[in-house]
Amino acid sequence: MCFVSVYMKDIIDNAIDLLRKKDLVRENLIKLSRELTRVSRSIIVGVHNGDDVKELREQARMMVNEILSLLKDYPDLIDSVRGSLQEYSEAFIFNAILHENRLISFTELNVDPASYLLGVSDALGELRREVIKSVDQWKLEEALKILDWMKDINNELSKWDLPDAIAPGLRHKVDVNRRLIEDLEVMISEAKRARDLIQSMSKLLAYFEKR
């Protein structure tokens, strides 16, 4: 009876010890996730402001490497960092489209496909803000260029009907972005008409001033 009790205790203690180690990893992942989210958001703000975000991007990459190292033994804990990996992807995708004129891949970012695609979809929201800023500054060609990126990306995403269990919320994001793109198309079209009218009025005024 005593032998059985000791044997049972060892089994339970071993299981609890493994779970405690896993919980410590989970806590570290949560801390890293919060910091990665903060840095990723700083990258996005910096890109909008035209700042140099190279140092912030290096910080973010180092944190992602650390997160992946911790996940190696506990891959089922990825949900605890999914949001931050999504923010990280969004920040790097947004920066690459604006400054490198390309869509960076999930292998370059070293993230899982789901976090990447969610980040791609969220990056369209940041691009939308750039379109609006360009329209406000009458840089309509730049606005159209960014809008084309948005349309191409969202069209590609809309071709795949991935379930929420695989890519949570992606279908909804695609639908929302489609409506945002339609609104931007109307905005740019109206801005072009307004610009053309202003130019025509300026030419007409110049004509009468010469007479």
Side-chain angles (χ1 to χ4, degrees):
M1 186 67 179
C2 182
F3 170 78
V4 173
S5 297
V6 171
Y7 178 67
M8 288 174 62
K9 181 178 183 300
D10 287 343
I11 292 175
I12 292 172
D13 284 353
N14 185 49
I16 290 174
D17 184 56
L18 290 173
L19 289 177
R20 282 177 174 169
K21 289 178 181 177
K22 184 175 183 178
D23 189 45
L24 286 175
V25 171
R26 185 185 67 85
E27 289 180 0
N28 286 334
L29 284 171
I30 290 172
K31 290 177 183 177
L32 281 168
S33 181
R34 288 172 180 162
E35 185 62 14
L36 179 60
T37 297
R38 184 190 67 78
V39 172
S40 298
R41 289 175 180 170
S42 295
I43 291 172
I44 291 173
V45 171
V47 172
H48 278 301
N49 293 336
D51 300 334
D52 184 354
V53 294
K54 184 178 179 180
E55 186 175 332
L56 288 171
R57 285 190 288 134
E58 287 301 317
Q59 291 177 25
R61 284 193 181 277
M62 288 175 61
M63 281 184 274
V64 168
N65 289 337
E66 192 172 351
I67 285 172
L68 293 178
S69 177
L70 291 173
L71 285 174
K72 194 173 294 183
D73 293 328
Y74 303 99
D76 57 315
L77 291 178
I78 191 169
D79 284 343
S80 62
V81 296
R82 176 83 69 193
S84 62
L85 292 177
Q86 182 177 328
E87 292 265 4
Y88 160 77
S89 300
E90 176 187 358
F92 275 66
I93 291 162
F94 175 50
N95 178 72
I97 289 174
L98 279 191
H99 296 308
E100 301 172 26
N101 201 37
R102 71 185 183 101
L103 180 63
I104 194 169
S105 69
F106 69 93
T107 53
E108 289 178 87
L109 294 176
N110 207 16
V111 296
D112 63 287
S115 297
Y116 171 78
L117 290 179
L118 291 167
V120 168
S121 192
D122 284 344
L124 298 191
E126 300 305 328
L127 290 172
R128 171 182 174 270
R129 295 166 72 181
E130 287 295 314
V131 170
I132 294 172
K133 182 167 69 176
S134 294
V135 171
D136 287 343
Q137 297 172 352
W138 293 101
K139 298 178 180 178
L140 302 188
E141 286 70 25
E142 179 66 20
L144 283 168
K145 178 183 174 183
I146 299 171
L147 181 62
D148 284 342
W149 268 106
M150 295 178 65
K151 289 164 66 175
D152 289 345
I153 290 171
N154 209 55
N155 285 340
E156 285 301 315
L157 291 176
S158 65
K159 292 178 182 178
W160 308 100
D161 189 19
L162 295 174
D164 283 345
I166 300 298
L170 181 60
R171 286 184 295 185
H172 176 69
K173 290 177 184 292
V174 169
D175 290 339
V176 170
N177 283 332
R178 184 182 297 111
R179 292 192 293 272
L180 293 178
I181 289 169
E182 290 171 355
D183 290 343
L184 290 175
E185 287 179 318
V186 173
M187 177 189 294
I188 293 174
S189 179
E190 291 177 348
K192 288 175 70 175
R193 283 198 295 269
R195 183 185 63 181
D196 292 345
L197 179 60
I198 292 171
Q199 290 175 346
S200 296
M201 293 295 291
S202 296
K203 290 178 181 177
L204 185 61
L205 182 61
Y207 171 77
F208 282 112
E209 286 178 345
K210 289 178 181 178
R211 296 192 65 181

